[in-house]
């Protein structure tokens, strides 16, 4: 029987990890035929952990949560927990409507995950009462600490955030909207100790802006394929080394975002392609995502080579 870590301990470990390094969102490995590759995923996770992340977030957006069935999800979370072995918190993704989210939550609980990232619900727009009710229903059915993720059709008001923070197991909010006015209001309204995360796409681009409103912690897709770059950038921002920060932004992150924006879904597809270029056995993306075109793959290879050169590493 897996023992669930108590909420306060998980929050402490997350806070400590957030201060130490980037939040790593590993890719889910597939074979060329689209089936899950557990051994490839185990190797990929072990490599991420060797690069000293602050926490591990398996089966989330970058990990193609939306494409996993329940048995695959169980394998992914179990492997992540086994490889982490308590060294860093493991926060598994969950989502869809609350009934399905609870099914995934119970799988994650049984696999030994420390907490859950509640991804935006599926398809429909909803009023604030419904957004809060979604978290209430999940919180009532799992003891795991929950981090709400506002992105897409989910955006909480200050009043809604106060209702969420009244739930004992809702411990944090990940923001993907990059509305810094709204976010500042939320951080000021939250109780002491509530966790906030920068979850913008290619979060490094806005890391300094988020930090200025009290949200220094961020998720890094780059850590999934170039932890040398991700860690160098984190250290530069932490140390207020603006020269290094600007150089990495100008010569790597901004061109990466421009390449990412060419095709819908490249936020995951390019990350996976870059990991393959580094020798990671992550395989292709699953439909409806598509792998990069040959021309975009060549551009990615050149950009990755240049980015690694900036931090004294090689492809």
């Amino acid at each position: 029987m897996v023992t669930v870590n108590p909420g306060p301990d998980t929050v402490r470990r997350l806070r400590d990890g957030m201060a130490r390094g980037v939040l790593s969102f590993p890719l889910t490995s597939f074979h060329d035929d689209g089936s899950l590759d557990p051994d490839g995923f185990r190797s990929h996770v072990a490599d991420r952990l060797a690069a000293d992340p602050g926490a591990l977030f398996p089966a989330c957006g970058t990990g193609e949560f939306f494409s996993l069935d329940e048995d695959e999800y169980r394998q992914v979370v179990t492997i992540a927990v086994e490889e982490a072995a308590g060294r860093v918190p493991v926060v598994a993704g969950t989502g869809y409507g609350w009934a399905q989210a609870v099914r995934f939550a119970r799988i994650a609980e049984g696999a030994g995950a420390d907490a859950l990232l509640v991804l935006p619900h599926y398809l429909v727009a909803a009023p604030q009462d419904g957004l809060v009710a979604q978290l209430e229903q999940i919180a009532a059915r799992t003891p795991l600490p929950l981090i709400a993720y506002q992105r897409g059709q989910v955006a909480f008001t200050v009043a809604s955030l106060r209702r969420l923070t009244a739930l004992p197991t809702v411990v944090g909010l990940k923001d993907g909207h990059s509305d810094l006015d709204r976010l500042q209001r939320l951080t000021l309204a939250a109780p002491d100790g509530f966790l906030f995360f920068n979850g913008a796409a290619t979060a490094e681009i806005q890391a300094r802006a988020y930090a200025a409103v009290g949200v220094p912690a961020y998720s890094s897709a780059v850590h999934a394929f170039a932890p040398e770059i991700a860690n160098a950038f984190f250290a530069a921002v932490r140390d207020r080394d603006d020269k290094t920060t600007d150089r990495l932004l100008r010569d790597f992150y901004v061109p990466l975002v421009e390449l990412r924006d060419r095709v819908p879904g490249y936020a995951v597809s390019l990350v996976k392609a870059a990991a393959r270029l580094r020798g990671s056995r992550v395989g292709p993306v699953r439909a409806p995502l598509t792998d990069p075109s040959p021309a975009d793959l060549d551009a990615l290879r050149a950009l990755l080579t240049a980015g690694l050169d900036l931090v004294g590493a090689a492809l």
Side-chain angles (χ1 to χ4, degrees), residues 240-259:
R240 298 185 180 179
D241 179 355
D242 289 334
K243 182 178 179 180
T244 299
T245 300
D246 287 344
R247 184 174 68 250
L248 289 170
L249 286 171
R250 180 180 56 248
D251 296 338
F252 177 74
Y253 283 101
V254 169
L256 178 65
V257 168
E258 291 172 349
L259 183 57

Side-chain angles (χ1 to χ4, degrees), residues 75-257:
Q75 292 182 68
V76 165
V77 178
T78 298
I79 289 169
V81 170
E82 289 174 350
E83 289 300 313
R87 289 176 288 169
V88 298
V90 175
V91 183
T94 190
Y96 304 114
W98 66 260
Q100 188 65 32
V102 168
R103 290 176 66 93
F104 282 104
R106 288 174 175 162
I107 293 169
E109 181 184 339
D114 296 288
L116 296 165
L117 177 65
V118 182
L119 302 167
H121 64 269
Y122 172 68
L123 190 61
V124 297
Q128 290 294 310
D129 284 348
L131 298 180
V132 174
Q134 166 88 337
L135 271 294
E136 289 174 338
Q137 294 287 351
I138 298 169
R141 291 166 173 80
T142 176
L144 288 178
L146 305 177
I147 299 167
Y149 190 2
Q150 62 171 17
R151 187 169 181 166
Q153 69 269 37
V154 177
F156 296 105
T157 63
V158 166
S160 294
L161 180 73
R162 287 182 174 135
R163 291 170 63 188
L164 291 181
T165 61
L167 300 172
T169 57
V170 175
V171 300
L173 176 73
K174 183 181 180 185
D175 175 74
H177 284 294
S178 303
D179 181 341
L180 297 181
D181 180 291
R182 175 192 290 266
L183 185 59
Q184 182 71 91
R185 295 168 191 266
L186 294 176
T187 60
L188 293 172
D192 290 343
F194 193 74
L195 304 177
F196 283 92
F197 308 84
N198 168 3
T202 315
E204 286 91 343
I205 290 286
Q206 300 183 68
R208 287 185 293 195
Y210 269 81
V213 295
V215 185
Y218 61 87
S219 57
S220 176
V222 171
H223 194 272
F225 64 87
E228 304 97 325
I229 300 173
N231 290 341
F233 184 86
F234 179 87
V237 172
R238 179 197 60 205
D239 298 340
R240 298 185 180 179
D241 179 355
D242 289 334
K243 182 178 179 180
T244 299
T245 300
D246 287 344
R247 184 174 68 250
L248 289 170
L249 286 171
R250 180 180 56 248
D251 296 338
F252 177 74
Y253 283 101
V254 169
L256 178 65
V257 168

Side-chain angles (χ1 to χ4, degrees), residues 42-103:
R42 187 179 294 277
S43 176
H44 176 66
V45 168
D47 288 343
R48 296 319 98 206
L49 289 166
D52 198 28
L56 199 67
F57 287 68
C60 294
T62 305
E64 298 178 78
F65 165 78
F66 61 86
S67 76
L68 301 176
D69 67 27
E70 292 181 11
D71 181 62
E72 292 169 334
Y73 176 86
R74 179 181 290 105
Q75 292 182 68
V76 165
V77 178
T78 298
I79 289 169
V81 170
E82 289 174 350
E83 289 300 313
R87 289 176 288 169
V88 298
V90 175
V91 183
T94 190
Y96 304 114
W98 66 260
Q100 188 65 32
V102 168
R103 290 176 66 93

